[in-house]
Structures are given as structure tokens and as C-alpha cells.
């Protein structure tokens, strides 16, 4: 029981340093309190919910319909970004009252969980179809950093079906082409200092090293799963996904996940970490 409670706290504890340091940096630079208060709320409110879920729910074999539901939710969310004219022709957000949710940051981790479940449940062709549709949606938004992160995540994820080398290679090639074209025409709205420029703000206030260390802690839930046979691929996929997003943020005007302003990346990360920990626990129980 104590071990289960300890594991349930991992997602929140992994994100806590980045959220706290990001909030402190924003406060030091006079950013509106609403920007960092929403980060704290996004960590604590969903984080407690996911923690309770992990501590109460027993490990079980994933069911195919869970994977279908996760993928449909992601594709629907990405589709909803095209319901308005977007920002300068860029479609990445869903407006919910006063909040603008970044659809990919919020739902891509759910999509990765859905793909993992579909492969595990023996539905590889459905997983491939969902992967391609997701890649096309990110290309059309357009979102170069997410397109690149999807390719990186799929290298280990599609290894679930490694025996089908032709389909594996074809899907990866299509995703790579979509990502490459996206990077040749990276279109971004005007950068927001507390989102895309949060690391520069941290450097200016003497918190750069601490901010970088806090971002490294984000990988802990995924690194733990690398040492378990059944959870290795999804853990590697999430690790490469977030590594690619951080690399993109350091080389272009893209949001820095979790530490920057915005609730969507934090909630998305909590979902990714929760799924990784649940898979790890199921692996330990011999259910996968």
C-alpha cells in the first residue's frame, strides 16, 4: 500500500520543481499573477485526481476501447482547432471561455497512451491509422515542434509492430516528411515571453541552471519504465517526445513545456506520467 501511494505521487513530484521555478521567474519579472496561478492550479487539481486514481485503481490489462477513446479524443481536439480562423492562420488552440487550450500539448500525451494501448491490445492497424491522422492534423495546424516530437516518439512506439518492417518504415517515413516540411515553413505567432521565452527570463534572473535541472526531472517517470520489458516502449516514446519538445523550444520560438505559462502542457504531462506509472505497475504485477 505504501509503495502504491509513493508511485501515485511521482507525476506531481516530477512536475513540481519546474512549475514552482517557472512561477517564481514569472513573478520576478512582473508577469500577471493569473499566468502562474493557472500553472499551479493545473498541477495541483488534476495532479491530485491522477494521484488518487493511481493509488486506488488496480493494475489491469489495457482494453482496446480505451485506446480508441484516447485516440478519438485527441483527433477530435486537433480537429476543433480548425473551427475558427485561428491566429494568423495558425490553428493550435481551442477557446473555452477565457481560456485558450493548446490542443496538442493537452491531448498528444493522451494519444501516445492510446497508441500504446492499441498496440498492446493487438490492434496495430488501427494504431497506424490514428498515428497518420494525427501527423496530418499537426502538419495542417501547422506545428513544427509537435510534428517533430511525434516522429521521435513513434520510433520506439511503432516498434511494438517491428515484425511488420515495411509498414513500420512506411509510416515513419510519411511522418518524417510531414515533420520536415513543417520545419521548412515553421510558422509561429508572436512569441509570448513567459511561454516561449521563459528560459531567457530564468537566465536573466539567475535561475537558468535550476530551471534546466527542473526540466530534467520531468523525465524521471519515463526513465523508470525503461528498465521494465512491457513498459519500455511507451516510456521511451514519452521520453523522446518531451526531449524533442524541449530541443525545439531551445532552437526556435516554441513553448517550453511545463515550466512556461499555460495549463495545457502541465495537464498533458501529468497524463503522460500517470499512464507511464500505471504501465510500470501493471508490468510489476505481471499483467502485461
Amino acid at each position: 500500500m505504501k509503495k502504491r501511494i509513493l508511485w501515485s505521487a511521482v507525476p506531481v513530484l516530477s512536475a513540481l520543481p519546474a512549475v514552482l521555478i517557472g512561477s517564481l521567474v514569472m513573478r520576478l519579472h512582473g508577469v500577471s499573477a493569473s499566468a502562474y496561478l493557472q500553472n499551479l492550479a493545473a498541477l495541483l487539481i488534476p495532479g491530485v485526481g491522477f494521484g488518487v486514481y493511481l493509488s486506488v485503481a488496480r493494475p489491469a490489462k489495457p482494453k482496446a476501447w480505451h485506446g480508441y477513446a484516447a485516440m478519438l479524443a485527441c483527433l477530435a481536439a486537433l480537429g476543433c482547432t480548425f473551427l475558427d480562423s485561428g491566429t494568423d492562420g495558425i490553428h493550435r488552440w481551442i477557446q473555452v471561455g477565457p481560456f485558450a487550450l493548446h490542443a496538442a500539448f493537452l491531448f498528444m500525451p493522451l494519444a501516445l497512451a492510446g497508441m500504446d494501448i492499441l498496440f498492446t491490445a493487438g490492434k496495430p492497424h488501427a494504431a497506424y491509422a490514428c498515428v497518420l491522422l494525427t501527423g496530418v492534423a499537426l502538419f495542417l495546424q501547422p506545428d513544427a515542434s509537435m510534428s517533430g516530437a511525434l516522429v521521435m516518439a513513434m520510433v520506439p512506439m511503432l516498434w511494438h509492430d517491428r515484425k511488420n518492417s515495411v509498414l513500420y518504415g512506411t509510416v515513419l517515413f510519411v511522418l518524417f516528411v510531414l515533420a520536415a516540411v513543417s520545419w521548412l515553413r515553421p510558422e509561429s505567432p508572436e512569441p509570448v515571453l513567459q511561454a516561449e521565452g521563459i528560459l531567457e527570463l530564468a537566465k536573466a534572473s539567475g535561475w537558468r541552471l535550476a530551471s534546466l535541472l527542473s526540466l530534467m526531472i520531468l523525465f524521471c517517470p519515463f526513465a523508470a519504465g525503461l528498465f521494465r520489458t512491457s513498459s519500455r516502449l511507451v516510456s521511451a516514446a514519452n521520453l523522446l517526445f518531451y526531449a524533442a519538445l524541449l530541443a525545439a523550444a531551445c532552437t526556435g520560438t516554441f513553448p517550453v513545456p511545463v515550466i512556461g505559462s499555460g495549463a495545457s502542457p502541465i495537464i498533458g504531462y501529468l497524463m503522460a506520467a500517470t499512464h507511464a506509472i500505471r504501465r510500470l505497475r501493471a508490468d510489476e504485477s505481471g499483467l502485461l
Side-chain angles (χ1 to χ4, degrees):
M1 183 64 181
K2 289 182 179 180
K3 186 176 182 180
R4 186 185 303 176
I5 294 175
L6 180 62
W7 276 120
S8 69
V10 168
V12 171
L13 292 178
S14 298
L16 183 61
V19 173
L20 289 180
I21 290 172
S23 299
L24 174 62
V25 168
M26 284 184 262
R27 181 175 174 82
L28 289 174
H29 285 271
V31 175
S32 171
S34 61
Y36 53 83
L37 287 178
Q38 72 167 313
N39 281 23
L40 293 170
L43 173 68
L44 296 176
I45 298 173
V48 169
F50 289 133
V52 171
Y53 165 74
L54 278 173
S55 63
V56 174
R58 294 183 178 278
K61 289 184 178 180
K63 298 179 180 179
W65 74 268
H66 293 153
Y68 286 120
M71 289 305 311
L72 287 174
C74 178
L75 291 171
L78 294 177
C80 285
T81 62
F82 296 95
L83 294 179
D84 56 32
S85 58
T87 303
D88 297 328
I90 298 169
H91 304 268
R92 298 178 192 167
W93 299 271
I94 301 173
Q95 197 68 35
V96 181
F99 300 103
L101 302 178
H102 194 295
F105 262 120
L106 184 58
F107 285 94
M108 276 301 295
L110 188 63
L112 293 180
M115 293 173 203
D116 176 52
I117 292 171
L118 287 175
F119 276 119
T120 304
K123 305 293 182 181
H125 292 93
Y128 280 123
C130 292
V131 169
L132 289 172
L133 288 172
T134 302
V136 170
L138 293 175
F139 170 78
L140 293 175
Q141 282 190 334
D143 193 332
S145 67
M146 280 290 172
S147 293
L150 177 63
V151 175
M152 294 299 292
M154 288 305 103
V155 173
M157 181 69 79
L158 299 184
W159 198 247
H160 275 292
D161 194 41
R162 55 189 174 275
K163 292 181 179 179
N164 195 343
S165 59
V166 174
L167 191 54
Y168 172 88
T170 301
V171 172
L172 265 185
F173 177 75
V174 172
L175 293 176
F176 176 80
V177 170
L178 291 173
V181 175
S182 295
W183 274 98
L184 290 174
R185 56 179 184 87
E187 301 176 40
S188 293
E190 285 298 315
V192 178
L193 200 56
Q194 62 266 27
E196 289 84 358
I198 188 68
L199 293 180
E200 290 303 314
L201 293 181
K203 180 180 180 180
S205 55
W207 284 87
R208 183 175 177 82
L209 179 58
S211 64
L212 292 175
L213 289 175
S214 72
L215 290 173
M216 295 303 102
I217 294 173
L218 295 175
F219 297 104
C220 288
F222 313 127
L226 294 177
F227 301 98
R228 298 287 180 178
T229 303
S230 298
S231 56
R232 183 176 299 155
L233 296 182
V234 67
S235 295
N238 277 293
L239 194 151
L240 290 176
F241 177 75
Y242 281 101
L245 289 177
L246 289 174
C250 291
T251 57
T253 54
F254 299 103
V256 186
V258 182
I259 196 171
S261 175
S264 300
I266 297 172
I267 299 173
Y269 172 79
L270 290 173
M271 286 193 289
T274 298
H275 179 71
I277 295 302
R278 183 157 172 77
R279 289 285 266 117
L280 178 60
R281 286 184 54 213
D283 195 357
E284 289 180 336
S285 301
L287 295 175
L288 295 172

